[in-house]
Amino acid sequence: MSYQEYTVKRRTPAWVIWLILVSGVGLTLLAFYFSMSWEKKAQQLLFQQRVEGIVATLNKELAINIEVLLGLNALFQSSRHVDREEFGIYTLSKLARYDTIHALEWVPRIAAGDREQHELQARKEGLENYVITQGSRAGTMVSADERAEYFPVYYVEPLTGNEIVIGYDLASNPSRLSMLKQSAASGEVRATSGIQLIQGDLGILIAVPLFSRDAEGELLGFTAGVYRIARILQQVFKLSHIDPSEFNMKIWDSTSTDQSQLLFSTVDGPFAPGIYVHTSQLRVVGRNWTISVTPSASYINREVTVGPWLILIAGLLLSLLLTQYVRILRYREAKVRYLVEQRTQALALSERTTNTILDSAVSAVITIDKLGTVQRFNPAAEKIFGYASDEVVGNNVKMLMPEPYHSEHDDYLRNYQQTRDAKIIGIGREVSGRRKDGALFPMLLAVGEAKVDSDPIYVGTVLDITLQKEAERALINAKNSAERANRQKSEFLNMMSHELRTPLTVILGYLPILKKADALPPAEMIAQMATDIDASGQHLLTLINDLLDLSKIESGSMSLVLEVVVASDVVDSVIAKLAKSAKEKGIELTSKVTGLAMYADRFRLQQILINLIGNAIKFTQQGSITIESKEKSGFVELSVIDTGSGISDDDLPVIFEKFRQIDSSSTRSLGGSGLGLAITKQLVELHGGEVSVDSELGKGSRFSFTIPTKGGSE
Ligand code: ADP
């Protein structure tokens, strides 16, 4: 897979990037929303606190203003009579300082019966045409209707502009009358709802009842003040250091549950919708004021901070950056993963290649670490040592070595690592290995050293050289036996020439005597000579026949004429031939052979027996020779047992070899070619039988051979 294909297939999926982007933007928007709303709430709280401050200031301001009225009331209370001038002096000083007060008044209570008296008194005091008045439908002032009591405005300051209210009966107006009555009943300061002032703005009328100081506590009248609401609020704003343009305010008199009256408003019409409105209740001398305040546009603008917007912008930027970063990471990660995978594949391939090489190597390859622990043991090693790989891997390599290497190997390895004094490493030599079954074998060991991660490993190559060694041995043996054969041949030639020359000497020695016809020896001597010449000739014939037989056998041209032969018959016929020579040596020659049938070449069988019995006679000085027979699963075994010289254990293995005589000199003295047993062996084997010998030096020998019965070999 190419890098491009790989990065498309294996990198982090694209939806992860989208997820990060969407969640980043989402979280940013959420943070923006919350910070906005928190800020809004904080603003509102702050605003609320400021409004409460304003309301508190308003309350205080009203109290201060009412204090003027209470002071005036105290003046009336303390003096038996306050005349118009005294009233003027007191009130004007106050009015000069309180521009919130539209007018201060003295409103006496005039009983119906006292009206005339009262009006007269007023006119007397200089109020021309004074009558108690009330408002008419037409909007003008007319004389007040008759009623049980009147509350005419008697003193008023400032007089200028307020002349018209002098004599105006507050009892003529139901709301004012009700206020006065409440005030009188409770003995406390009371106020009206908003009243329209001549100046156009709204005011409130506040009254403080005045009672006689005697026990009756008769209501004498009220000190009253008309207060300009707008002015009071101006004062409040001023005291609160508030820019009135920042607030929109509406104050309602909400004492009456039916309808509330708007007392003050900084805006025409209702508040702009959607803007936060803080509403507060204020108890103003027996009346309920509802104060609603909302921040103006300029206030909102001033209070708005950039915090949430910063969060929004920073959040969005961060999301974008994060997305971009992840995109880059995604490519980088894919690249790294691609490289790792490539390398891993290459590594796996290289390991597979190494494994294949090691597995298919003909030589055993064994690797060990610096402590001698086997790490690898390839199939060829398994084959050579007979261990399965997992029986060896993890164990010390010395398990594959016989003593003394087994005990010395650990020290050797340690010593080599310290001194670099190598006996095998880097050199290679022939050592001996130990197979699983304990068998030792010669091997050629070559060890190389390599470094893996700074630790040495040793790679040993083992070649089982058992076969080579055997071949070498065989070669040496062949060479030895060739040399031996050569030696034997020389000995044989020596012996042969001697054997041939002896009878020839006899024959040729007699011939000159016999050739002299005129000087022939006596007849008995000639007869003796003829006998000797005959014996010598026979001996020569035997030798030559033996040689011919052997060469025939060895060339493979010897053929057998097989027939059923009765053992006792053949043995008896051979004994008959040899009985004479045995007898001459005083040896008892006996046959215990039974009439067992054999399938053999009669002539060759005789030859075999002549050889064996002849040898027995030859190598026996005294005692007996016995021939036995027995049947042996498909064979007849014939044995020639003598009490002769016997053969040493050392000589036994070689007596069947051709041209071999044990003690050449002594044997020679007894005559013989060293071919007899070799021919015998070959002839027996040609029949399909075997020859064996059992002999003890000085005690005698037992030569046995087997010949198949008829069909025994089939
Ligand atoms: P040879 O013709 O010299 O007898 P053989 O092949 O017949 O040769 O015998 C080989 C050798 O085996 C003899 O030289 C002799 O040393 C030994 N040998 C054979 N038969 C006997 C025996 N019956 N007793 C002792 N030694 C024997």
PDB file of all heavy atoms in Angstrom, residues 421-433:
ATOM      1  N   ASP A 421      40.974 -14.663  24.753  1.00  0.00           N
ATOM      2  CA  ASP A 421      41.860 -15.763  24.409  1.00  0.00           C
ATOM      3  C   ASP A 421      40.998 -16.903  23.862  1.00  0.00           C
ATOM      4  O   ASP A 421      40.345 -17.625  24.599  1.00  0.00           O
ATOM      5  CB  ASP A 421      42.619 -16.189  25.682  1.00  0.00           C
ATOM      6  CG  ASP A 421      43.461 -17.423  25.427  1.00  0.00           C
ATOM      7  OD1 ASP A 421      43.742 -17.721  24.245  1.00  0.00           O
ATOM      8  OD2 ASP A 421      43.834 -18.095  26.415  1.00  0.00           O
ATOM      9  N   ALA A 422      40.995 -17.022  22.539  1.00  0.00           N
ATOM     10  CA  ALA A 422      40.042 -17.933  21.908  1.00  0.00           C
ATOM     11  C   ALA A 422      40.643 -19.304  21.658  1.00  0.00           C
ATOM     12  O   ALA A 422      41.793 -19.430  21.288  1.00  0.00           O
ATOM     13  CB  ALA A 422      39.594 -17.336  20.589  1.00  0.00           C
ATOM     14  N   LYS A 423      39.799 -20.325  21.942  1.00  0.00           N
ATOM     15  CA  LYS A 423      40.237 -21.687  21.602  1.00  0.00           C
ATOM     16  C   LYS A 423      39.442 -22.193  20.396  1.00  0.00           C
ATOM     17  O   LYS A 423      39.915 -22.955  19.581  1.00  0.00           O
ATOM     18  CB  LYS A 423      40.007 -22.607  22.799  1.00  0.00           C
ATOM     19  CG  LYS A 423      40.971 -22.261  23.935  1.00  0.00           C
ATOM     20  CD  LYS A 423      41.061 -23.395  24.937  1.00  0.00           C
ATOM     21  CE  LYS A 423      42.106 -23.127  25.993  1.00  0.00           C
ATOM     22  NZ  LYS A 423      41.551 -22.746  27.288  1.00  0.00           N
ATOM     23  N   ILE A 424      38.207 -21.738  20.326  1.00  0.00           N
ATOM     24  CA  ILE A 424      37.373 -22.155  19.198  1.00  0.00           C
ATOM     25  C   ILE A 424      36.806 -20.945  18.456  1.00  0.00           C
ATOM     26  O   ILE A 424      36.814 -20.894  17.235  1.00  0.00           O
ATOM     27  CB  ILE A 424      36.203 -23.035  19.689  1.00  0.00           C
ATOM     28  CG1 ILE A 424      36.753 -24.338  20.262  1.00  0.00           C
ATOM     29  CG2 ILE A 424      35.248 -23.312  18.534  1.00  0.00           C
ATOM     30  CD1 ILE A 424      35.715 -25.328  20.670  1.00  0.00           C
ATOM     31  N   ILE A 425      36.325 -19.943  19.280  1.00  0.00           N
ATOM     32  CA  ILE A 425      35.631 -18.809  18.678  1.00  0.00           C
ATOM     33  C   ILE A 425      36.508 -18.170  17.610  1.00  0.00           C
ATOM     34  O   ILE A 425      37.662 -17.816  17.876  1.00  0.00           O
ATOM     35  CB  ILE A 425      35.240 -17.791  19.764  1.00  0.00           C
ATOM     36  CG1 ILE A 425      34.231 -18.453  20.697  1.00  0.00           C
ATOM     37  CG2 ILE A 425      34.636 -16.534  19.137  1.00  0.00           C
ATOM     38  CD1 ILE A 425      33.949 -17.704  21.960  1.00  0.00           C
ATOM     39  N   GLY A 426      35.953 -18.011  16.448  1.00  0.00           N
ATOM     40  CA  GLY A 426      36.672 -17.391  15.340  1.00  0.00           C
ATOM     41  C   GLY A 426      37.680 -18.334  14.698  1.00  0.00           C
ATOM     42  O   GLY A 426      38.318 -17.985  13.726  1.00  0.00           O
ATOM     43  N   ILE A 427      37.848 -19.531  15.241  1.00  0.00           N
ATOM     44  CA  ILE A 427      38.870 -20.437  14.708  1.00  0.00           C
ATOM     45  C   ILE A 427      38.204 -21.675  14.095  1.00  0.00           C
ATOM     46  O   ILE A 427      38.317 -21.927  12.900  1.00  0.00           O
ATOM     47  CB  ILE A 427      39.842 -20.890  15.828  1.00  0.00           C
ATOM     48  CG1 ILE A 427      40.480 -19.679  16.488  1.00  0.00           C
ATOM     49  CG2 ILE A 427      40.855 -21.850  15.257  1.00  0.00           C
ATOM     50  CD1 ILE A 427      41.223 -20.001  17.757  1.00  0.00           C
ATOM     51  N   GLY A 428      37.473 -22.411  14.923  1.00  0.00           N
ATOM     52  CA  GLY A 428      36.839 -23.618  14.427  1.00  0.00           C
ATOM     53  C   GLY A 428      37.768 -24.797  14.597  1.00  0.00           C
ATOM     54  O   GLY A 428      38.963 -24.695  14.372  1.00  0.00           O
ATOM     55  N   ARG A 429      37.215 -25.897  15.067  1.00  0.00           N
ATOM     56  CA  ARG A 429      38.057 -27.092  15.176  1.00  0.00           C
ATOM     57  C   ARG A 429      37.193 -28.323  15.317  1.00  0.00           C
ATOM     58  O   ARG A 429      35.963 -28.233  15.432  1.00  0.00           O
ATOM     59  CB  ARG A 429      39.032 -26.949  16.328  1.00  0.00           C
ATOM     60  CG  ARG A 429      38.366 -26.849  17.678  1.00  0.00           C
ATOM     61  CD  ARG A 429      39.416 -26.694  18.730  1.00  0.00           C
ATOM     62  NE  ARG A 429      39.345 -27.777  19.698  1.00  0.00           N
ATOM     63  CZ  ARG A 429      39.833 -27.681  20.927  1.00  0.00           C
ATOM     64  NH1 ARG A 429      40.420 -26.571  21.310  1.00  0.00           N
ATOM     65  NH2 ARG A 429      39.748 -28.681  21.759  1.00  0.00           N
ATOM     66  N   GLU A 430      37.860 -29.444  15.359  1.00  0.00           N
ATOM     67  CA  GLU A 430      37.163 -30.702  15.432  1.00  0.00           C
ATOM     68  C   GLU A 430      36.988 -31.049  16.903  1.00  0.00           C
ATOM     69  O   GLU A 430      37.959 -31.089  17.647  1.00  0.00           O
ATOM     70  CB  GLU A 430      38.025 -31.750  14.736  1.00  0.00           C
ATOM     71  CG  GLU A 430      37.232 -32.853  14.118  1.00  0.00           C
ATOM     72  CD  GLU A 430      38.174 -33.840  13.473  1.00  0.00           C
ATOM     73  OE1 GLU A 430      38.848 -33.440  12.516  1.00  0.00           O
ATOM     74  OE2 GLU A 430      38.246 -34.984  13.930  1.00  0.00           O
ATOM     75  N   VAL A 431      35.749 -31.198  17.319  1.00  0.00           N
ATOM     76  CA  VAL A 431      35.504 -31.573  18.712  1.00  0.00           C
ATOM     77  C   VAL A 431      34.500 -32.729  18.727  1.00  0.00           C
ATOM     78  O   VAL A 431      34.084 -33.211  17.676  1.00  0.00           O
ATOM     79  CB  VAL A 431      34.931 -30.388  19.536  1.00  0.00           C
ATOM     80  CG1 VAL A 431      35.963 -29.317  19.713  1.00  0.00           C
ATOM     81  CG2 VAL A 431      33.686 -29.836  18.870  1.00  0.00           C
ATOM     82  N   SER A 432      34.142 -33.101  19.924  1.00  0.00           N
ATOM     83  CA  SER A 432      33.227 -34.223  20.013  1.00  0.00           C
ATOM     84  C   SER A 432      31.914 -33.731  20.610  1.00  0.00           C
ATOM     85  O   SER A 432      31.898 -32.918  21.537  1.00  0.00           O
ATOM     86  CB  SER A 432      33.952 -35.266  20.844  1.00  0.00           C
ATOM     87  OG  SER A 432      33.111 -36.062  21.517  1.00  0.00           O
ATOM     88  N   GLY A 433      30.785 -34.140  20.032  1.00  0.00           N
ATOM     89  CA  GLY A 433      29.460 -33.700  20.482  1.00  0.00           C
ATOM     90  C   GLY A 433      28.739 -34.865  21.140  1.00  0.00           C
ATOM     91  O   GLY A 433      29.148 -36.018  21.009  1.00  0.00           O
TER      92      GLY A 433
END
